[in-house]
Amino acid sequence: MSEKELRDILFQKLKDIVKSPYLIETEVPVPYKHIYIPTDGETKLEIWCFKQDITIYKILFDKTVKQKDSKVMKEAKTLIEVVLEKDSGQNSHHAGLPFVILELKKGQPNTHEILTYSQKAEMIKTIFPYCQFLFLILGDVSARSYRHGINFDQVISLKNPNDDDEIKGLKKILKEHFNIAKTRLKQLTETNRKRKIKSKGAANPSLPKT
């Protein structure tokens, strides 16, 4: 079984675990890096994406958005031109705001692969700090996956993708991490909301009562 076959089997078994406005799909382009490039005209913001095996997400950019369709504007003036850097293979998918990412490997990966995936997880989490990054290995998991996968939220061992009990357990894990991601996002936005309220209160103190 190839990793693509494993991905497609798992997707068919997992595709009903979320409801709108959330989506679950394969090969979703997820931003991992933002680069601001000043030019003589407007500043360019390059958004670079990784394709993920299976992702629970909301739409960031619709798949109809081309490389230079988006802009940050004030009135009629373009302040920042947004360049969505994705290859032609990613144009058939929406770019995603990830809640849970499930990366798959057939068999135990070597140390270099684990470090590479862990760095990828770190880069994505820098932009989406609430995102949960899960690393699934078809087969046994060696100790090095835990030693070097420091940015994985969970390492999962799957023996048989056609085993109903294992799939049931995998669904439970995904739902748990999906709820963790939503809770963390709520905490982040709640913190920002409180800061705004506090800032407004400091700028406009109420008059003392007489």
Side-chain angles (χ1 to χ4, degrees):
M1 179 186 297
S2 68
E3 288 181 0
K4 181 181 182 303
E5 290 171 333
L6 173 62
R7 183 200 69 199
D8 292 344
I9 289 171
L10 290 180
F11 172 68
Q12 290 301 319
K13 295 178 182 296
L14 300 172
K15 64 182 182 180
D16 62 344
I17 64 172
V18 295
K19 296 180 180 179
S20 180
Y22 303 99
L23 301 170
I24 179 169
E25 292 183 354
T26 63
E27 296 193 317
V28 175
V30 171
Y32 70 93
K33 180 170 61 177
H34 293 168
I35 301 176
Y36 287 88
I37 301 177
T39 64
D40 292 337
E42 63 269 2
T43 298
K44 290 185 179 180
L45 167 59
E46 294 183 352
I47 301 178
W48 293 76
C49 297
F50 283 134
K51 285 192 294 187
Q52 306 304 307
D53 287 331
I54 297 176
T55 307
I56 297 174
Y57 73 105
K58 281 184 173 181
I59 296 174
L60 173 60
F61 290 101
D62 186 274
K63 60 187 177 184
T64 59
V65 175
K66 307 303 179 185
Q67 270 201 337
K68 298 182 180 181
D69 279 356
S70 298
K71 300 178 185 294
V72 178
M73 303 183 70
K74 182 178 181 181
E75 297 174 348
K77 181 180 179 181
T78 298
L79 301 179
I80 299 175
E81 178 184 350
V82 180
V83 181
L84 185 60
E85 295 288 355
K86 55 180 185 176
D87 61 43
S88 59
Q90 296 173 333
N91 287 332
S92 60
H93 295 78
H94 305 303
L97 288 164
F99 284 74
V100 180
I101 291 171
L102 182 64
E103 282 291 280
L104 314 172
K105 291 299 291 183
K106 179 189 174 185
Q108 174 60 48
N110 60 39
T111 298
H112 175 73
E113 289 176 311
I114 297 168
L115 289 170
T116 298
Y117 275 98
S118 183
Q119 183 182 30
K120 179 191 290 189
E122 181 181 26
M123 295 173 78
I124 291 172
K125 284 170 169 286
T126 299
I127 300 175
F128 308 102
Y130 54 87
C131 178
Q132 298 287 288
F133 196 102
L134 312 182
F135 195 62
L136 184 147
I137 296 172
L138 182 62
D140 294 327
V141 178
S142 73
R144 65 173 175 265
S145 294
Y146 299 101
R147 286 199 301 267
H148 301 304
I150 58 174
N151 295 300
F152 303 152
D153 293 289
Q154 188 167 343
V155 178
I156 304 166
S157 173
L158 187 71
K159 305 294 186 183
N160 180 3
N162 292 307
D163 183 279
D164 290 341
D165 288 337
E166 284 201 272
I167 295 300
K168 183 178 179 180
L170 180 58
K171 285 184 176 182
K172 181 180 179 182
I173 290 171
L174 286 173
K175 288 178 180 178
E176 287 174 350
H177 283 280
F178 180 45
N179 287 329
I180 290 171
K182 289 192 295 181
T183 298
R184 289 186 176 177
L185 178 58
K186 183 178 179 180
Q187 291 169 340
L188 286 169
T189 54
E190 181 67 15
T191 299
N192 290 337
R193 188 182 71 84
K194 288 180 178 178
R195 285 175 180 169
K196 288 180 180 178
I197 292 173
K198 186 176 180 180
S199 177
K200 287 181 179 179
N204 300 289
S206 59
L207 294 174
K209 294 181 179 180
T210 57

